[in-house]
Amino acid sequence: MGLSTKHIFITGGVTSSLGKGIIAASLAKLLQSRGISVTIQKFDPYLNIDPGTLNPYEHGECYVTEDGAETDLDLGHYERFLNAATSQDNNVTTGRIYNNVITKERKGEFLGKTVQVVPHITDEIKNNFYKLGKDGKYDVIITEIGGCVGDIESLPFVEAVRQARWDLGPNNILVIHLTLIPYLSAAKELKTKPTQHSVKQLLEAGVQPDILVCRTEHHLPVDVKKKIALFCNVQLNCVIEAMDADSIYDVPLLMKKERLDERVLSKLKISSKTNTELEQWKDFLGKLKNPTMEVDIALIGKYVSLPDAYKSIIESFIHAGTSLECKVNLHLISSEEVNKDNVAKKLTDMDGVLVAPGFGIRGLDGKLEAAKFARENEVPYFGICLGMQIAVIEFARNVLGLSEASSTEINPDCKDPVIFLMAEQKDITQMGGTMRLGAYPCELVKGTKAIAAYGKQKVTERHRHRYEFNNKYLKEFEKHGMIASGKNPDKGLVEIIELKEHPWFVGTQFHPEYKSTVLNPHPLFVRFIKAVGECKQNKS
């Protein structure tokens, strides 16, 4: 454990979904812009080993890192804000902690001791707290504790934070507690009681927060801040107001205005190396708020009632659109509500179509109709993962005349399995962590839309899928105008397909959205939006 590394813990109270991930990412951005090397990790209190087997309705999307870890969507925020990659070590769940401890117990590593929550589980949690600090790479590690203080699940984590303060000593650890100050419209006043109770619960667990970040819809008057400071035992200048913002990308600047980074630096006794350098960030916000054009894009998926299921895709559109000074109006359309009879009505006013990733058979026909409409009407199309496979199946059925073409995921006995399961995946019975996961290389073909977007021949992209394009059919596809413009050099697997005779029709087997950041928008999203804008202008 490198003692030079300082630790910041972020807990949440009153309610979940207050935006701990955004506050963590914003604070990290401010520290990074002062020349401090920082990383963020998320500890999730649920018993799943990782979010890979969770329904997106439960927890939003599952975010995949370069090293192939299926992680919480907050890691996406960390990467998008910091422009730096995370890994398996940046996301730990209760399930993984218990799994590790039980594995050690079975191997006899505890030498006959009774295995208990304290110290064995809490020691394992602390080992994971400190893991990223061992090589001295980071000055500061921010650890977000998921869930809500007071939940049974998060108790061992809060206890581990208490012990960490004891281990690390003053000036090396800081606890930020994020709470909600509700406004009662009938009484016309802000209420501090939920925050007081939340801090009291933390205190009962032996943890005194150093800084309170208060989410609120109204400005906090000084008397309210004084009351919070007095009852929660924190300094007045450590009660930070976090107003609702128009965009999550405003939050770093709002936190800077509230001097969150200054409070953190003084409490951790860190001398800031440089003054905050946020010019590029401000440029981004300037363009975001002053677009010169706008486009309408349909996102066809089956989890549209919870937009968090497509978080990275939605953010990728913001990054890419902003770089082109273009506002992207995303219309989330449920694939179950699209059919042959209404597809034209639903998509006629759209300038572009994106068919989203997903698993399973539900809503498949709607996605096929959307791909067919885009192909036949020369509407720019972007298919991601299943969205690419949909484009392949639709093309096989309606252009190659293989009416029974399908994926073996949908129909294991189909006559023409244009999408199929590779041999090494066939005997797998476990669901979690068994797909093609993480970064794989891809070589692009010259003279294609793909290489025009990237501007280079070799790229790496992140995957999360089990089924692949069946190369047995590739010659037939290419003969009819659907080409493989990107392939995995090691196995010859098709990574990108595109239509030659179409303004922009591209499908990727990988997930480009995982690599898009504020400062580095993904080239395929940029080129897609550019094509959408050009087609829109040509129409008018």
Side-chain angles (χ1 to χ4, degrees):
M1 178 174 72
L3 265 184
S4 56
T5 305
K6 312 263 186 180
H7 287 264
I8 299 170
F9 291 95
I10 299 186
T11 57
V14 184
T15 162
S16 57
S17 305
L18 287 182
K20 290 191 295 295
I22 303 294
I23 292 293
S26 299
L27 173 58
K29 182 75 212 168
L30 293 177
L31 295 176
Q32 185 192 53
S33 66
R34 288 173 174 270
I36 294 162
S37 68
V38 59
T39 189
I40 322 177
Q41 50 189 3
K42 169 92 187 267
F43 280 66
D44 272 308
Y46 49 73
L47 280 168
N48 303 59
I49 300 270
D50 61 42
T53 55
L54 284 174
N55 183 326
Y57 280 136
E58 289 273 331
H59 216 73
E61 76 172 3
C62 171
Y63 185 82
V64 177
T65 57
E66 285 284 293
D67 62 353
E70 293 177 284
T71 66
D72 183 80
L73 63 79
D74 274 337
L75 269 74
H77 292 310
Y78 306 163
E79 291 202 7
R80 289 189 280 273
F81 275 60
L82 292 180
N83 206 28
T86 54
S87 72
Q88 176 79 57
D89 293 334
N90 293 71
N91 189 204
V92 180
T93 67
T94 296
R96 206 154 104 215
I97 298 288
Y98 274 85
N99 198 29
N100 293 350
V101 171
I102 289 164
T103 305
K104 285 179 188 171
E105 183 272 330
R106 292 287 82 187
K107 286 180 182 168
E109 285 182 30
F110 296 120
L111 307 175
K113 286 261 189 297
T114 306
V115 181
Q116 295 175 287
V117 173
V118 180
H120 301 100
I121 296 295
T122 49
D123 281 354
E124 184 66 27
I125 293 171
K126 285 193 297 178
N127 289 342
N128 283 277
F129 281 170
Y130 305 144
K131 202 174 188 179
L132 288 169
K134 282 186 175 152
D135 56 7
K137 196 171 148 191
Y138 301 108
D139 303 321
V140 174
I141 293 174
I142 299 176
T143 303
E144 178 193 343
I145 307 287
C148 224
V149 168
D151 294 349
I152 286 176
E153 287 97 340
S154 59
L155 277 174
F157 291 107
V158 177
E159 167 59 19
V161 172
R162 182 193 71 76
Q163 291 179 24
R165 177 162 270 169
W166 194 74
D167 291 346
L168 298 166
N171 306 333
N172 290 318
I173 177 172
L174 179 80
V175 177
I176 297 174
H177 189 53
L178 182 65
T179 87
L180 177 70
I181 308 284
Y183 179 78
L184 294 187
S185 46
K188 295 201 169 25
E189 62 179 333
L190 290 156
K191 287 296 182 188
T192 64
K193 191 63 83 182
T195 295
Q196 292 174 45
H197 280 305
S198 184
V199 171
K200 192 175 160 203
Q201 282 199 297
L202 256 186
L203 286 168
E204 281 174 7
V207 175
Q208 165 68 52
D210 301 284
I211 295 173
L212 290 178
V213 175
C214 304
R215 283 298 308 274
T216 170
E217 293 174 22
H218 299 264
H219 282 292
L220 298 180
V222 176
D223 60 327
V224 171
K225 281 190 172 185
K226 278 184 177 163
K227 187 177 177 185
I228 294 167
L230 175 67
F231 283 118
C232 298
N233 206 22
V234 297
Q235 292 162 308
L236 180 59
N237 64 4
C238 290
V239 179
I240 305 280
E241 170 188 288
M243 285 277 287
D244 290 358
D246 295 336
S247 154
I248 57 171
Y249 302 112
D250 285 321
V251 179
L253 298 180
L254 293 173
M255 289 300 102
K256 183 170 172 53
K257 205 167 142 202
E258 281 285 304
R259 301 194 162 157
L260 175 62
D261 53 333
E262 289 176 32
R263 299 273 65 83
V264 166
L265 293 172
S266 85
K267 283 196 171 292
L268 289 175
K269 303 261 186 295
I270 299 174
S271 54
S272 171
K273 296 173 186 173
T274 52
N275 230 347
T276 331
E277 207 287 287
L278 285 168
E279 289 319 303
Q280 282 179 290
W281 197 269
K282 286 174 183 164
D283 286 350
F284 170 80
L285 279 171
K287 285 182 180 173
L288 176 68
K289 291 176 179 178
N290 301 290
T292 54
M293 62 178 289
E294 52 182 276
V295 295
D296 292 279
I297 292 176
L299 186 155
I300 315 280
K302 65 175 178 180
Y303 303 115
V304 293
S305 58
L306 183 77
D308 267 7
Y310 302 113
K311 192 73 192 159
S312 292
I313 293 175
I314 293 168
E315 298 307 316
S316 298
F317 274 120
I318 294 172
H319 308 154
T322 300
S323 74
L324 297 167
E325 297 184 32
C326 173
K327 181 173 191 265
V328 177
N329 301 314
L330 260 193
H331 302 262
L332 273 62
I333 298 172
S334 169
S335 51
E336 292 178 82
E337 289 169 14
V338 178
N339 56 48
K340 189 161 79 233
D341 302 324
N342 67 11
V343 66
K345 189 171 175 235
K346 283 189 182 288
L347 298 183
T348 293
D349 295 334
M350 296 296 145
D351 305 312
V353 173
L354 180 137
V355 172
F359 293 93
I361 194 165
R362 191 161 59 83
L364 205 83
D365 290 343
K367 289 181 176 178
L368 287 164
E369 289 300 336
K372 183 173 188 243
F373 180 87
R375 179 178 61 77
E376 290 180 344
N377 293 283
E378 301 211 326
V379 177
Y381 176 91
F382 194 3
I384 297 178
C385 201
L386 180 66
M388 169 199 132
Q389 298 177 358
I390 289 289
V392 166
I393 294 167
E394 188 280 320
F395 194 82
R397 287 181 185 177
N398 298 316
V399 179
L400 305 185
L402 306 172
S403 59
E404 292 179 45
S406 193
S407 159
T408 53
E409 179 184 14
I410 299 148
N411 176 7
D413 307 315
C414 65
K415 191 174 155 197
D416 288 297
V418 288
I419 304 290
F420 75 135
L421 199 57
M422 288 177 60
E424 62 253 40
Q425 288 280 348
K426 280 188 179 155
D427 302 325
I428 291 172
T429 52
Q430 282 202 318
M431 297 290 276
T434 53
M435 294 180 267
R436 185 143 78 100
L437 284 164
Y440 285 86
C442 173
E443 279 188 4
L444 307 174
V445 176
K446 287 191 171 121
T448 58
K449 294 178 176 75
I451 205 163
Y454 283 103
K456 55 183 177 183
Q457 203 167 357
K458 289 184 178 174
V459 296
T460 63
E461 291 286 0
R462 298 183 199 175
H463 291 250
R464 183 177 184 246
H465 63 97
R466 204 171 259 119
Y467 294 81
E468 304 280 357
F469 181 92
N470 189 341
N471 279 345
K472 199 173 88 178
Y473 293 88
L474 186 56
K475 275 201 173 98
E476 191 63 15
F477 271 87
E478 299 211 313
K479 202 166 84 188
H480 286 81
M482 182 176 271
I483 59 166
S485 53
K487 281 186 178 180
N488 176 291
D490 309 322
K491 292 191 173 176
L493 297 169
V494 173
E495 300 281 28
I496 309 176
I497 58 102
E498 61 182 64
L499 284 180
K500 275 195 208 159
E501 308 297 323
H502 193 286
W504 210 87
F505 191 104
V506 176
T508 65
Q509 186 57 82
F510 49 79
H511 289 257
E513 71 274 20
Y514 292 147
K515 288 187 83 160
S516 180
T517 71
V518 170
L519 300 181
N520 275 325
H522 196 285
L524 286 176
F525 277 91
V526 174
R527 198 46 79 106
F528 174 51
I529 294 168
K530 207 170 172 188
V532 167
E534 284 164 4
C535 285
K536 184 179 179 175
Q537 277 174 331
N538 293 343
K539 269 187 200 169
S540 57

